[in-house]
Amino acid sequence: MTEQNIQLQIDDINKKLDLILDEVYAQKQNRESMNDLMADLSIVGKDVFQNTVVQLDKAGVELDGETLASIGLRFLQNLDNINNLLEILESANDFVKDASPIVHQVGLTAIQKVNELDQKGYIEFFKELTNVLDNIITHFSIEDVRELAEKIVPILEMVKEITQPDMLESVHNAVVVYKNLETDDIPEYSIWKMMKEMNSPEMKKGMGFIMSFLKNLTAQQIKSKQEKK
């Protein structure tokens, strides 16, 4: 083995020794830092303990050693329950994080829908509808509402009959005829002219309708009175 190889090995050993010494020195510094930290914490802990004792003494609070030991024992016995509680809290926190975007989106959708309803006039409509309800409530008494409740069935029956197709057609025809009448320029009829018009097929049919209507109306009124008795 040449002197050069020996020197290289010595240099390599010196480098390794330097690394070992550096590591030992670093560990020594860590131990010293840890010892200093423990010493500082011990001093702080003593001060905190003494201050706590003084404050409890001033407040007239007495600590029972057995009670503290019992609390500590129960705390240790319920570590599993505490762990389960923490897991539940973590799950709840995860749920809130997952649900927050959904709730946010639902809120945005609701705001957008309300804005659409407002643009279409629904909000203003319901606002005015509340005024209508206010007028109804202030105009009618509780007794009126009770009477309406008793008569609501006949009223609905009447509405049902009015909304039948043939009835709606008759009402529509009457409205159309009235709309087409020139009320400002209605011709005058003498008795002779009226008698002459009564011989027309339209007037005969109209008179027949009126007579049939009055006859059936009277018969229905008599029938209703008999049913009430």
Side-chain angles (χ1 to χ4, degrees), residues 137-148:
I137 292 173
T138 54
H139 183 74
F140 293 98
S141 64
I142 299 298
E143 293 298 329
D144 294 332
V145 177
R146 289 174 182 169
E147 291 180 2
L148 177 62

Side-chain angles (χ1 to χ4, degrees), residues 87-104:
E87 290 180 354
I88 293 173
L89 291 176
E90 290 178 355
S91 300
N93 186 40
D94 294 337
F95 173 77
V96 171
K97 290 181 180 179
D98 295 336
S100 294
I102 299 175
V103 174
H104 180 68

Side-chain angles (χ1 to χ4, degrees), residues 21-154:
L21 291 174
D22 291 339
E23 182 66 24
V24 171
Y25 181 73
Q27 291 181 359
K28 181 180 178 181
Q29 285 185 331
N30 289 333
R31 284 196 301 271
E32 291 177 352
S33 299
M34 185 61 67
N35 291 332
D36 293 339
L37 178 62
M38 294 299 295
D40 294 338
L41 290 176
S42 176
I43 295 172
V44 173
K46 289 180 181 179
D47 292 339
V48 171
F49 178 76
Q50 290 177 356
N51 290 330
T52 303
V53 172
V54 172
Q55 294 297 327
L56 291 175
D57 184 60
K58 289 181 179 180
V61 178
E62 296 182 359
L63 295 178
D64 188 359
E66 294 182 358
T67 303
L68 292 176
S70 176
I71 293 173
L73 182 61
R74 293 182 63 184
F75 178 80
L76 294 175
Q77 289 175 343
N78 289 277
L79 286 178
D80 291 337
N81 295 331
I82 295 173
N83 184 50
N84 293 333
L85 179 61
L86 292 176
E87 290 180 354
I88 293 173
L89 291 176
E90 290 178 355
S91 300
N93 186 40
D94 294 337
F95 173 77
V96 171
K97 290 181 180 179
D98 295 336
S100 294
I102 299 175
V103 174
H104 180 68
Q105 184 62 38
V106 170
L108 292 178
T109 303
I111 293 173
Q112 183 179 1
K113 192 63 178 178
V114 171
N115 184 51
E116 291 178 0
L117 294 176
D118 187 26
Q119 294 295 328
K120 292 180 180 179
Y122 281 92
I123 304 299
E124 191 67 25
F125 174 80
F126 284 113
K127 186 185 296 184
E128 294 299 327
L129 186 60
T130 56
N131 295 331
V132 174
L133 293 176
D134 289 339
N135 292 332
I136 293 174
I137 292 173
T138 54
H139 183 74
F140 293 98
S141 64
I142 299 298
E143 293 298 329
D144 294 332
V145 177
R146 289 174 182 169
E147 291 180 2
L148 177 62
E150 294 175 356
K151 299 175 182 178
I152 190 65
V153 174

Side-chain angles (χ1 to χ4, degrees), residues 197-208:
E197 287 292 336
M198 290 181 66
N199 290 325
S200 64
E202 293 83 5
M203 285 298 295
K204 289 180 179 180
K205 196 167 185 178
M207 292 297 294

